Amino acid sequence: MDALPFLKMHGLGNDFVVVDAREKPLDLDTARVRAIADRHKGVGFDQMIVLETPPDPAADVFFRFLNSDGSEAGACGNGTRCVADLVMREKSRGDLRIQTIAGALAATRDKNGRVAVDMGPARLEWREIPLSHAVDTLHVPLASGPLADPVATSMGNPHATFFVSDIAAIDLAALGPGLEHHAIFPQRANIGVAQILDGATMRLRVWERGAGITLACGSGACAATVAAVRRGLLSARKARIIVDGSESADDALDIEWLANGHVLMAGPVALSFTGAWAR
C-alpha cells in the first residue's frame, strides 16, 4: 500500500487530517480511516477531509468529511474554513466555491487573513433536521440529567442545542453518547451545550456525532447561534462563540445568521504539520 501524504490542520483546536484525491482515488476504507484517527497509534483527528474533483464544473473543489469512527459527515464548519484557506492559497485567490454532499458553500478571506464561510441556510423544520416525528424544533421534548428542552437545527448535519446557566457543571462526556443516539434522531445528532455570557457572547461545548467532544465545532457554533436568536437570547442575529480551544474571548468564532437564512462563520485557521501515512 502506497504511503498517503496528508496535512494536519486545526481551527481553534478542532483538528483535521487533510488528504488530496483530486488526481487519483485514495484507498480509504473504514479501517484505514480509524487507524489514522487513533491518537495513540495514528495521527489523530476529529475529522478527515478528502479533497476531490467537483462534479459541478462551477465549483472549485469538492470536500468530503469523514468522522474519526469512519462515518461520513454532511458538514464541518471549521474543517471547511481550514481547507478553504489551503485551496485559496493554492489558487492565489481570496474566494472559493466549494461543493459538499450537503450543498454548495462559499468561502472568502477577510482583510485580517481570517477565513469566512457561508454555511448555507439553517434548516429548522423537523423533517429537514431530521427528527423521527413532528415536534416543535424550538422546544424539543428531550431531557437527560440536567439537560432539557433543546433547540434542533440542521446545518447540513443535525444539532441539538441545550442552554444552561453553568456550562462547567455539565458532564458532557457522560451525557453526550446517549443523546447522540436518542431515538428522536434517526441519523444521530451533534449535542451542543451553550451558556449565554452576554447579549453578544456565548460559551459552547459540543459532543460531535461520530467524534465525541471536540475543542471547537463550527457547525455547532452556527446551530447554537441560530437557536439563541430563535429563543430571543441575543441582542442581534450574531454572536461571538468561545469554545474549549479558545485561549481568550478574542480567540473565538464569529457567527451571523443573515436575514436570508444563511449563516456566516469566521475564525482563525492553522497548519500544524505535514506527513505521510506509511501503512
Side-chain angles (χ1 to χ4, degrees), residues 39-91:
R39 294 192 181 275
H40 300 286
K41 298 179 180 179
V43 182
F45 61 78
D46 292 324
Q47 278 83 32
M48 175 180 283
I49 306 173
V50 185
L51 280 64
E52 299 178 2
T53 301
D56 181 357
D60 294 303
V61 65
F62 183 95
F63 291 171
R64 189 177 304 279
F65 306 104
L66 303 175
N67 293 315
S68 56
D69 67 356
S71 62
E72 187 163 4
C76 177
N78 285 320
T80 298
R81 290 190 308 101
C82 283
V83 189
D85 176 78
L86 181 73
V87 178
M88 282 192 287
R89 292 180 186 278
E90 174 188 286
K91 294 181 177 291

Side-chain angles (χ1 to χ4, degrees), residues 14-15 39 45-47 67-69 71 172-174 176-177 180-181 188-192 205-217 244:
N14 190 190
D15 63 334
R39 294 192 181 275
F45 61 78
D46 292 324
Q47 278 83 32
N67 293 315
S68 56
D69 67 356
S71 62
L172 186 56
E180 174 193 348
H181 291 89
R188 299 183 294 162
N190 299 277
I191 307 303
R205 303 191 74 214
V206 178
W207 174 276
E208 287 201 45
R209 177 182 64 168
I213 294 175
T214 57
L215 293 181
C217 177
D244 284 358

